[in-house]
Amino acid sequence: MLLDYQTTVSLNLALQLILAPALGAAVFLAKKKRFQRHCLVLRLAVAAQILAILALMSPVMGTILEPGRPNGLFQAEVLLHHGLGLVVVLLWIYINLVYLGRLRARLAPKRAMQAAAGLWVVSFILGFHIYLKLYY
Ligand code: HEM
């Protein structure tokens, strides 16, 4: 781990508390039909999320999921949180490839975005619950 454990967790929490409202703002922009701004906000937000997964969340997850640690239910929650987060990233890649004309849409982008928004919210709530369980 590049940073110490506590700094990594705090940095990630701070970032998530910025990215969750950014998602809300982006959905608001889409509803107001300001699609270019919506697209830019989400390209930047998910790019930041990918960096957070690689640099901040994966190292901590490695520690939580070390073999021999008790509490299987908690580990399942951590895996679900990360799984949903990864699906959001895959949907984001798909949405971008479709809008860039690199991929033929098999799933309507609007549906993919609605799913991504919902999964992001669930993953965020799980992540917050994981944080509270670890530290409070
Ligand atoms: C994970 C990333 C994304 C999420 C969660 C997301 C979420 C949403 C949501 C909730 C809507 C409104 C759907 C509705 O009216 O029910 C929407 C619409 C839209 N978004 Fe995104 N979006 C994402 C990424 C992007 C990106 C990267 C682009 C541009 C390349 C984009 C362009 C659009 C457009 C053009 C619409 C209007 C679609 C339509 O009405 O058919 N979105 N998005």
Side-chain angles (χ1 to χ4, degrees):
M1 213 182 285
L2 221 63
L3 301 163
D4 70 78
Y5 187 90
Q6 194 53 54
T7 311
T8 306
V9 170
S10 304
L11 262 181
N12 186 38
L13 179 67
L15 184 66
Q16 297 311 319
L17 291 176
I18 295 170
L19 293 182
L23 171 65
V27 173
F28 176 78
L29 287 169
K31 294 290 177 194
K32 293 276 167 204
K33 305 208 177 304
R34 296 175 64 188
F35 297 125
Q36 273 194 345
R37 194 49 72 84
H38 161 87
C39 183
L40 178 66
V41 169
L42 282 166
R43 279 183 172 160
L44 293 176
V46 180
Q49 193 68 277
I50 292 169
L51 290 179
I53 290 170
L54 294 175
L56 305 174
M57 284 184 260
S58 298
V60 171
M61 179 166 133
T63 314
I64 295 173
L65 298 179
E66 268 170 7
R69 278 201 166 215
N71 201 348
L73 200 63
F74 178 64
Q75 297 194 343
E77 185 181 2
V78 173
L79 280 176
L80 182 64
H81 160 70
H82 276 263
L84 295 180
L86 287 180
V87 175
V88 172
V89 171
L90 291 176
L91 285 170
W92 176 78
I93 293 170
Y94 170 79
I95 293 157
N96 276 299
L97 289 177
V98 169
Y99 278 121
L100 290 171
R102 300 288 170 90
L103 201 70
R104 209 159 53 89
R106 288 167 192 277
L107 165 69
K110 190 170 170 174
R111 282 249 176 277
M113 288 188 276
Q114 287 167 339
L119 294 178
W120 187 333
V121 170
V122 176
S123 181
F124 173 76
I125 292 169
L126 285 176
F128 200 62
H129 184 240
I130 290 164
Y131 173 80
L132 292 177
K133 271 188 115 171
L134 281 173
Y135 299 105
Y136 294 96

